[in-house]
Structures are given as structure tokens and as C-alpha cells.
Amino acid sequence: MLTREKIVYYLESDESSVAKWVNLIVPALVLLSSAIFVAETHPIDPELKSVLTQINAIILLIFALEYAIRFWCAEKKLTFFFSFYSIIDLLVILPFFVKAFDFSFILIFRWFRILRLLRFIETQTFFGSIDREDGTILARILFTLFAIIFVYSGLIYQVEHPVNPSDFTTFFDAFYFSVVTMTTVGFGDVTPMSPWGRLMTVMMILTGVALIPWQVGDLIKQLIKTAHKVERECGVCRLSFHDTDAKFCKHCGTELPH
């Protein structure tokens, strides 16, 4: 019989093969679902659109089941409910369960689905090929930039397409505008017309200004910290970098190779 402890081990432990599969499958479903939403902003065959809608419904049910399992396993349920990742999960699955009501504005939250990847970017399983801490920080910076552009592109498309369909015809029009804006190129050929679109643009810029320099600072500090270290991999815990005069692994205490 599965207990809470066993389920937590299967979902969270780095030694669990189930957790490794979860850390691979869930991000893949996130990307697939996001790709479906991007495709729906383009003119596509009605039959294909129906198939994509069904696939997306299945993905949402999987997300809801995963959320319910994690909530059931949480020791402090109130803390879990108000945690960052839990709120993201709710923003992902909420539109699916309230579709019977006239809450069309809440569909704007579907673009936050890409932020579910933040849960897995901090695990060694997701970045198994990156064993240097500075490499992980760099990957986090790149993903943060992509997440900001992707999420705000979706939000800007949602509010601008109804009032400015000539400039924001598809998601990629909004994505192009976001990239041009975030890189401070500013061609001016595509501009938001609605107050909400302009607000989203300001928030996108402020979010990038707040998050990117902070993470770049972490990368610089990590590079400085590892500048006086050499690459000598521990045979037990696989820690790659140690001080130049180190004889034993600082993590597990194993004698290092000479």
C-alpha cells in the first residue's frame, strides 16, 4: 500500500526512477500544452483544433491529478497552498475547472503554464548534464528570460488581439514585440494600443530589470568563488571542483585523486 512517505519519495527523491521520469514528462507536457496554445492563435483546420483541444484537456487533467497528489502528501497543507509553485499550478488548472462559468478573462492565466518549469529547473535531474553550479545558474538566467518573454507575450496577445488584430494577429506577433522591447531595440512597427497592453509592457520591462541583474549577480559571485578552484572530480559524490590544495572532498570526505 502506498503511503504519503512513499509517494513523496517517488516524486521528490533524486534516487527514485519515478521522480526522474516525472521531472522529464511534466516539463514535456508543459511545453506541449504551451505549443498547443500558440498553435490555436493561428488559423488551423477545425478538426485539428478539436484534436488539440482534447489533448490539452487530458494534459490539464494530469496537472490537476499531480496537484491533488502533492496537496494530499503535504504535511503543512496551508503552507503548500500558498507556496509559489502551488499558486502557479492553480493558475494553470483553474481555467479548466471554471469553464462552465463566464470567466473568459481568466483564460489569461493559461500563459503562466510555462512557469511550471521553474519547479524542475532547480533539480539536478532536469539539468543532469550540467554539473557545474555556474552552468546551472546560467541555465536559470536563460530560462528566466525566456519565461518572462513567453508569459508576457501571451498576456499582451490576449489583451491586444481583440482591439488591435492587425498588429497582433498571432502569438508570434506579440512574441516579436516582446523580444524587440526586452532587447531595447524598439523598432516601433508594432505597438500596443490598449491601456492593458501598455501596462503589460511596463510590467514586462520591470520584471526583467528586477530578475535578470539579480541572477547575473549570482553568476558573477559563483565565477569568483570558483576562480581559485581546480577540476578534480570526487569518485563518490561526483563533486567536480575543489580548492587547489584540497586532499579530501569537502562534500563527502573521500580522498581525492592526485
Side-chain angles (χ1 to χ4, degrees), residues 137 139-142 144 210-220:
I137 296 175
R140 187 180 295 116
I141 292 173
L142 294 177
T144 300
L211 294 181
I212 300 302
W214 170 56
Q215 296 194 28
V216 170
D218 288 342
L219 177 61
I220 294 174

Side-chain angles (χ1 to χ4, degrees), residues 5-7 21 30 38 53 60-61 65 67 69 73 77 82 87-88 134 152 176 191 202 208 216 225 228 251:
E5 291 76 13
K6 286 184 178 180
I7 294 176
W21 277 106
V30 170
V38 171
T53 301
L60 281 174
L61 287 175
L65 178 62
Y67 178 85
I69 292 174
C73 293
K77 290 182 169 48
F82 287 103
I87 292 174
I88 290 178
D134 51 344
Y152 279 104
Y176 163 79
T191 56
V202 172
V216 170
K225 187 169 67 174
H228 302 290
H251 184 262

Side-chain angles (χ1 to χ4, degrees), residues 149-214:
I149 292 176
F150 188 94
V151 170
Y152 279 104
S153 295
L155 296 176
I156 292 171
Y157 172 80
Q158 289 275 8
V159 299
E160 280 295 313
H161 178 70
V163 299
N164 190 12
S166 59
D167 286 341
F168 294 90
T169 307
T170 67
F171 170 83
F172 284 107
D173 293 326
F175 189 81
Y176 163 79
F177 166 76
S178 299
V179 171
V180 170
T181 302
M182 286 292 289
T183 56
T184 68
V185 175
F187 291 123
D189 53 341
V190 178
T191 56
M193 294 178 57
S194 68
W196 281 107
R198 294 172 181 172
L199 176 62
M200 292 299 172
T201 303
V202 172
M203 291 180 62
M204 176 179 64
I205 296 172
L206 293 179
T207 304
V209 169
L211 294 181
I212 300 302
W214 170 56

